[in-house]
Amino acid sequence: MAIDELSSALQIAGRYLPELALKSTLVLGVAGVLAFLLRRRSAAVRHIVWTTAVAGVLALPFTHLIPVRIAVLPASLAGAQVARDDAAPAVSQTVEEAAPSPRTVAEPVREAPAASAWWPADVDRTTLMVGVWLLVASVLVLRVLAGTAMVWWLARSGERMVDGEWTAAADRISRTFDAPSARLIRTRWSEMPMTWGFIRPVVLLPADCDEWPAERRDVVLRHELAHVARRDVATLALAQLACAVHWFNPLAWLALHQLRAEAERCCDDAVLSTGTRASAYAAHLLEMVRLIGRARVPAAVALPMAQRSTFEGRLLAILEPGVERGTPGRARTALTMGGLLAVVAAVGAMRPVEAITADLAAIPAAPGRVEARVVSAKVAEKPPAAPAVLSVLPRSVPAPIAALKDASAPAIQQAASAAAQAAADAQAAVTPQVEAKAQATVTQSSAGAVVALVAALRDADGTVRLSAIRALGSLHDPRAVQALIEALRTDSDATVRNTAAWALGEIESRAATAALVQAMASDRSIEVRRTATWALGQIEDPAAVDGLARAVRDPDTEVRETAVWALGEIESRTAVPALSSVLREGDVAMRRLAAWALGQIEAAEAVPALAAALRDSDREVRETAVWALGEIESADAVPALTTVLGDSDPRVRNQAAWALGQIEAESGVAPLSRVLQGDSDASVRQTAAWALGEIERESAMPALTAALRDRVPAVRATAAWAIGQVEPDRAPAELSALLRDDDQSVRANALWALGQTRDVAAIEPLLRDPNPEVRRAAARALGGGPDPRPRPRPQPRPRPRPRPMN
C-alpha cells in the first residue's frame, strides 16, 4: 500500500509541475518588469519587489486553496493531465452503474498517447520527471546545508572579539540602525568580512582586521550591521529555497542574483546615509576587492562584503550623484507588497481551460473505496450550495465529545484537544451567506465542548486534566475561565495549576485577576507563582496593581522581576510609588526594569524618582531612566536631563539629548547648544541638532549655524534640517554654502532648509543648473518638498517578556 501511495503522490506532483513552472514564470516575470520600472528608485524598493516575488513563488503550491478559479491557462495543460489519468487503469466505479469503463458515461474517450520509439514502454515519464526534480532539489538543499555547516564551523572555531574599540563601535552602529546585537568573530580562514545567521547574527572578520585604518573599520561594521538590521541572511535563505524548488526556472536564479545585488546596494546606501563620503567608501571597497579577491565561503549562506561579480554595478551606484538611497515608507512598502501579492493570488487562481472538470475527474480514489466518476457539465459549472456547510456543523463537535466518556486516559486526552479544535473548525467553516443561520449551531457545539472539558478536569489522571486545561485555554468562554480558576485554586498537581495559570493569561479575562493574585502570593509552588505573575501582566487589569506591588518584594528573583514587568504592562499610575521604591532600593536588574516600567506608564509623578536615578552607578539604569523621562515628556525633567548631558558615557548623553528633543521645552535650548558645539562624540552632536530642530526656537540658530561647519557630514546634514524646522526670517550664508558640500545628504537637507526659509535668491541659480537632477531638487525645495526628517530612535527600548513554557 505504501508503494501505491507513493506512486499516486508522484503522479499528482507530476501533474502540477508544468502548471507550477508556468505560474512561477508569470510571477517572477511581473517582478522583473516592476523592478525595471523602478530602476530610478532606491535599492530598498527593488529589494522589496524581489523578496515578495520569491515568497510568492514559494506560496504558489498552496494557492489551490483559493476558492476562485480562473480558466485562462493553455488547454494543453489540462489535456495532458486528463490523458495521463486516462492512461492509468480505472479503479473507481459509479454508484449507480458498475460499468467496466465508467469514463464513457460522462467523459469523452481519449486515446492514450502512443509510445515513442526511443522511449521504453515500461518507464513512466511522469515518475521519472518528478524523480529528477526531487533529486536536483535535494542536491541544492544539501549544498546550502553544507555551506551553512561550514560557516557555522568558522564561527565556532573563530575568536570572539572583546576588544573595547571594536565592540564599542559595533554597539554604537547597532543602535544607529536599530539592529539586534551581533557577535564579532575573528577567523583566519576568511579574508573577506561577511555576515551570517539571522537568529544569532555573526559578523566574521579576517585575522588582520586590527591593522585596518579606523575609517575602514567603521565602514565595514556599518555595512555588515546594516545586513543584520535588514535580516538579509534570512531573505537570501528564502531565495535559496525558492531556487531549490524551482531550479528548472531560469527566472528563479535571476531573482536570487538580483535579490543579493539589491541587498548589497541597500547596505551601501545605509553606509552612505550615515555620512560616509561616497568616494572614500568606494575606495575602501575597491582596495578590499583588489587585495582579497573572492570570498572563500559559499555565498549561499553568508553575505560577503564585496565580490568581483557584482562589484562594478555597486561601484557605479555608489558614485552616482542624486541616487535615491532612502528606505520606502510604510505606505509605499505596503502598496508594493500588496500589489505583488495580489498578482500571486491571481496567478494562483488560474487554471487550464478545462481545469474545473479535469480537477474533479482526476482525483484518485482511495484503495477499497467506491467513488463516483461521473462528471457532468452542470456539476462542474455549479459549486455546491452553501447550506451544505450547515450539514457538517452539527456533526463536527459531538464526536469528540462522545469520546470523552471513554475509560482510556490517552483517548480522553486526545478527545479533549479534538473537541476544542472541532469547535474552532466549525466556526471557521461558516460562510458569510449562512453565518446567521449557523451561529446557533456553532454556539451549541462550543457549549458542548466546554461542558465535556470541564468534566474532564475531574479525571484522576493528571495528563488528562492538563490536556483539558490546554483545550479550555483556546475557547475564550466564560465557563472555561471559571473552570480554569477552580483548577488553579484546588488542583493537587502543581503542573496542572501552573498550566491553568498560563491558560488564564492566554485568555486575558479580567475575571481571573483575583485568583491569579492569590496564586501569585500564596501558592506553594514557585513555578505557579511565576506563571501567575506573568499572566497578570498579560491581562493588564489595574485591579492587580496592589498584589503586584507586594510581589516586588517576593523572595524569588523571577517573581520580583516579572511583577515589575507586569506593572509596566498594566500602565497604571497607581503603580508609580511601588516602582519608584524599587528604582531606589532594588538590585541592578530590578532598577532597570523599574525605570522601563515607569517610562511605559508615562506619569509625571514618576519624574522625581527617575531624576534621582540619573545618578545611578549603572549605565543602563541611567540610560533607561533618561528614556523614560523622554517618554513622559514633562518639562520638570529638563534640569535633571541637563546635568546628564555631561555624563561620562556618550550613550547616556545621546539619550539625554533625545529626551530633551522629545520634551520640546525652550529651557533645553541652551544646554543642547553647548553640546552641539562642544561634545566630542559625533552621534551626540547629531542628536543635539535634531533635538534643537524639534524644539524650533530662534535662540538655537547660533549653535545650528556653527554646526553647519562640523567635520562630520551627518551633523552638518542634521543641523541644516533643524534650521529648516526653525524657519528663521533669514537663512544664514553658511546654509547656502552647503549646496556645494561633498556629501549628497548634506546638500539635500540644505536645499530643503532653504526652501523652508523661502530664500529664493539662494535657490534660483540652481534652477539653471545643467544637471536636471539639481534643477528638479531646486524646484521641489521651492515648492516645500518632502521633509527629510532624521529620526533618532530612543535607546534602550527594553521589552522584557517572560514566557512560561507549557
Side-chain angles (χ1 to χ4, degrees):
M1 183 178 295
I3 296 177
D4 292 340
E5 292 177 354
L6 177 60
S7 177
S8 176
L10 291 176
Q11 289 287 337
I12 294 173
R15 173 187 173 188
Y16 288 110
L17 272 179
E19 183 178 327
L20 183 63
L22 179 57
K23 289 182 176 181
S24 63
T25 300
L26 290 174
V27 171
L28 294 174
V30 170
V33 171
L34 185 58
F36 176 79
L37 295 176
L38 294 172
R39 63 189 182 279
R40 300 291 184 185
R41 298 293 184 180
S42 66
V45 175
R46 297 189 297 275
H47 188 271
I48 291 172
V49 170
W50 286 112
T51 301
T52 308
V54 165
V57 297
L58 285 175
L60 281 176
F62 304 100
T63 54
H64 279 275
L65 301 175
I66 298 175
V68 179
R69 300 290 186 269
I70 307 173
V72 295
L73 296 182
S76 57
L77 292 175
Q81 293 165 6
V82 174
R84 281 195 295 270
D85 284 352
D86 290 342
V91 296
S92 1
Q93 297 180 350
T94 61
V95 176
E96 293 115 355
E97 181 179 352
S101 180
R103 180 181 60 247
T104 59
V105 176
E107 298 179 5
V109 178
R110 301 175 187 257
E111 294 295 333
S116 301
W118 54 270
W119 188 262
D122 58 343
V123 177
D124 183 80
R125 297 187 186 185
T126 301
T127 302
L128 183 62
M129 178 178 66
V130 175
V132 172
W133 170 69
L134 285 175
L135 177 63
V136 177
S138 300
V139 170
L140 292 174
V141 170
L142 288 175
R143 172 178 174 269
V144 174
L145 292 177
T148 302
M150 181 179 177
V151 184
W152 177 84
W153 177 81
L154 287 178
R156 293 281 295 179
S157 62
E159 175 190 359
R160 180 83 177 263
M161 299 180 66
V162 294
D163 178 74
E165 185 175 356
W166 279 98
T167 55
D171 186 54
R172 170 174 50 83
I173 295 169
S174 294
R175 290 198 310 273
T176 300
F177 291 150
D178 197 25
S181 59
R183 292 174 293 160
L184 303 182
I185 302 294
R186 183 189 289 110
T187 177
R188 62 188 179 90
W189 298 104
S190 176
E191 298 173 328
M192 179 68 71
M194 63 185 65
T195 302
W196 175 73
F198 52 91
I199 298 177
R200 298 183 63 192
V202 172
V203 175
L204 296 173
L205 296 167
D208 62 348
C209 60
D210 288 330
E211 300 174 10
W212 290 348
E215 188 178 32
R216 180 172 300 175
R217 295 185 190 182
D218 187 74
V219 298
V220 167
L221 285 178
R222 288 181 187 275
H223 182 94
E224 299 305 325
L225 291 174
H227 278 308
V228 173
R230 291 170 39 79
R231 274 66 172 186
D232 282 332
V233 175
T235 304
L236 265 294
L238 193 72
Q240 286 292 335
L241 178 59
C243 283
V245 175
H246 299 270
W247 58 263
F248 48 83
N249 192 336
L251 289 182
W253 297 99
L254 174 64
L256 173 63
H257 175 80
Q258 291 299 116
L259 196 66
R260 185 187 301 279
E262 298 300 352
E264 295 299 334
R265 290 176 182 174
C266 286
C267 294
D268 293 341
D269 292 344
V271 174
L272 296 175
S273 66
T274 59
T276 303
R277 288 185 300 113
S279 57
Y281 181 53
H284 285 298
L285 286 179
L286 182 61
E287 184 71 3
M288 294 175 72
V289 170
R290 186 178 66 84
L291 295 178
I292 297 173
R294 297 181 180 179
R296 298 178 182 175
V297 178
V301 293
L303 287 163
M305 183 172 178
Q307 288 185 301
R308 288 180 176 175
S309 58
T310 60
F311 181 70
E312 181 180 353
R314 286 177 62 189
L315 189 64
L316 292 175
I318 290 169
L319 297 176
E320 179 70 18
V323 173
E324 182 179 330
R325 303 190 187 277
T327 56
R330 293 181 179 177
R332 183 187 294 182
T333 301
L335 182 63
T336 303
M337 294 181 66
L340 267 174
L341 291 176
V343 170
V344 172
V347 171
M350 293 179 182
R351 297 289 184 273
V353 173
E354 300 177 25
I356 299 177
T357 300
D359 283 348
L360 293 174
I363 298 175
R369 178 182 173 187
V370 178
E371 181 177 291
R373 285 289 303 271
V374 178
V375 184
S376 66
K378 292 183 178 180
V379 172
E381 294 173 1
K382 184 177 180 180
V389 178
L390 290 175
S391 66
V392 179
L393 293 177
R395 297 193 295 271
S396 59
V397 175
I401 291 177
L404 289 172
K405 300 177 182 178
D406 195 292
S408 168
I412 298 176
Q413 183 177 357
Q414 293 177 4
S417 299
Q421 185 61 44
D425 291 344
Q427 179 68 55
V430 181
T431 61
Q433 292 80 3
V434 296
E435 183 173 359
K437 191 172 181 180
Q439 186 61 44
T441 304
V442 174
T443 304
Q444 182 180 1
S445 299
S446 299
V450 172
V451 171
L453 291 169
V454 170
L457 290 180
R458 296 190 291 271
D459 194 275
D461 192 294
T463 59
V464 174
R465 301 199 301 276
L466 277 175
S467 295
I469 284 174
R470 291 193 180 103
L472 286 169
S474 66
L475 292 180
H476 295 268
D477 186 286
R479 288 162 296 184
V481 173
Q482 292 304 317
L484 291 170
I485 290 173
E486 185 66 19
L488 175 62
R489 285 175 170 166
T490 63
D491 200 284
S492 59
D493 191 317
T495 304
V496 174
R497 298 197 305 276
N498 187 61
T499 306
W502 168 83
L504 289 169
E506 290 292 300
I507 295 175
E508 300 183 10
S509 171
R510 292 190 175 187
T513 298
L516 288 168
V517 169
Q518 181 182 358
M520 176 182 63
S522 59
D523 196 281
R524 56 186 177 275
S525 168
I526 187 62
E527 290 298 328
V528 176
R529 287 165 43 213
R530 291 172 178 172
T531 305
T533 310
W534 167 83
L536 290 169
Q538 288 287 100
I539 296 172
E540 301 181 10
D541 185 358
V545 168
D546 291 341
L548 289 167
R550 292 189 294 271
V552 300
R553 307 286 182 183
D554 194 276
D556 181 72
T557 300
E558 189 169 334
V559 171
R560 295 197 303 270
E561 292 181 358
T562 308
V564 174
W565 166 81
L567 289 172
E569 289 293 293
I570 294 173
E571 300 182 12
S572 172
R573 291 175 178 268
T574 57
V576 170
L579 291 172
S580 298
S581 177
V582 173
L583 190 57
R584 291 192 302 270
E585 304 168 5
D587 57 29
V588 171
M590 290 285 285
R591 297 200 305 272
R592 293 173 183 171
L593 280 169
W596 169 82
L598 289 170
Q600 287 285 101
I601 297 172
E602 299 183 12
E605 302 93 304
V607 169
L610 289 167
L614 299 180
R615 299 186 295 273
D616 197 281
S617 58
D618 181 77
R619 177 191 60 80
E620 288 192 29
V621 173
R622 299 197 304 275
E623 195 172 359
T624 309
V626 171
W627 170 81
L629 290 171
E631 291 291 293
I632 295 172
E633 299 183 11
S634 171
D636 294 338
V638 171
L641 290 171
T642 299
T643 63
V644 181
L645 290 174
D647 194 279
S648 59
D649 193 295
R651 287 171 289 189
V652 178
R653 301 199 302 273
N654 191 61
Q655 189 79 347
W658 168 82
L660 289 169
Q662 286 285 101
I663 296 171
E664 299 183 11
E666 188 170 6
S667 55
V669 171
L672 285 169
S673 297
R674 291 193 294 270
V675 168
L676 178 58
Q677 293 177 291
D679 199 281
S680 59
D681 190 276
S683 64
V684 177
R685 298 198 302 275
Q686 182 183 5
T687 306
W690 169 85
L692 290 170
E694 290 291 294
I695 297 174
E696 300 181 13
R697 296 294 191 277
E698 284 272 1
S699 53
M701 283 301 299
L704 290 171
T705 302
L708 296 178
R709 299 186 294 272
D710 195 281
R711 64 182 182 277
V712 177
V715 178
R716 299 198 300 272
T718 307
W721 168 83
I723 289 175
Q725 287 286 100
V726 174
E727 297 184 10
D729 295 334
R730 183 180 180 84
E734 291 85 350
L735 189 61
S736 300
L738 288 186
L739 297 177
R740 297 182 295 277
D741 196 278
D742 293 336
D743 188 90
Q744 188 271 339
S745 62
V746 174
R747 298 194 301 273
N749 282 15
L751 193 59
W752 175 82
L754 287 170
Q756 294 297 106
T757 60
R758 301 296 188 270
D759 195 337
V760 179
I763 299 176
E764 187 177 9
L766 299 176
L767 296 172
R768 297 186 295 273
D769 194 278
N771 189 333
E773 290 291 336
V774 175
R775 297 198 301 273
R776 284 196 292 269
R780 285 196 302 268
L782 286 175
D787 184 352
R789 174 184 295 272
R791 299 188 182 276
R793 295 171 179 258
Q795 296 290 344
R797 299 187 69 179
R799 299 292 295 172
R801 289 187 180 276
R803 292 281 184 185
M805 300 299 295
N806 276 282

